[in-house]
Amino acid sequence: MTIPALTAETRWRCTLCGNLTRFDVTRTARVTEFLHFDLAGESKIEETQVLSETVESVRCRWCNAVDQVELVARPGAADGAGAPEQA
């Protein structure tokens, strides 16, 4: 199943229970990171650039449904992207 990508105007909603806030997301990302090491050898990531990212699965934390998400509009989204929210 293809997992819909999030945008600034949309968010996920579980189609089974209506959850909008809690999901376990499994994803694969290819990134370039700038690491800064202090003199003791401890590292800190100071910059991350995401080169590619794939969402493999999304599980609802409320009802445990796997890959049962849809895109809905975020409240106040200016251009109304995504499907209208249902009560």
Side-chain angles (χ1 to χ4, degrees):
M1 175 179 189
T2 301
I3 308 301
L6 298 174
T7 67
E9 293 82 26
T10 61
R11 62 181 176 174
W12 285 328
R13 178 183 176 275
C14 178
T15 60
L16 296 181
C17 72
N19 171 30
L20 293 166
T21 60
R22 304 284 192 271
F23 299 97
D24 288 320
V25 179
T26 302
R27 64 186 177 96
T28 301
R30 187 169 166 259
V31 300
T32 299
E33 295 177 330
F34 170 66
L35 297 175
H36 179 208
F37 290 86
D38 64 19
L39 295 177
E42 296 295 321
S43 66
K44 176 181 169 186
I45 298 171
E46 291 193 355
E47 185 178 310
T48 301
Q49 178 184 12
V50 178
L51 304 174
S52 65
E53 182 176 46
T54 304
V55 176
E56 297 174 11
S57 70
V58 179
R59 183 177 64 84
C60 176
R61 273 291 184 109
W62 287 3
C63 70
N64 221 26
V66 177
D67 297 335
Q68 295 294 317
V69 296
E70 64 181 354
L71 282 182
V72 296
R74 289 186 188 205
D79 65 313
E85 238 179 88
Q86 300 171 0

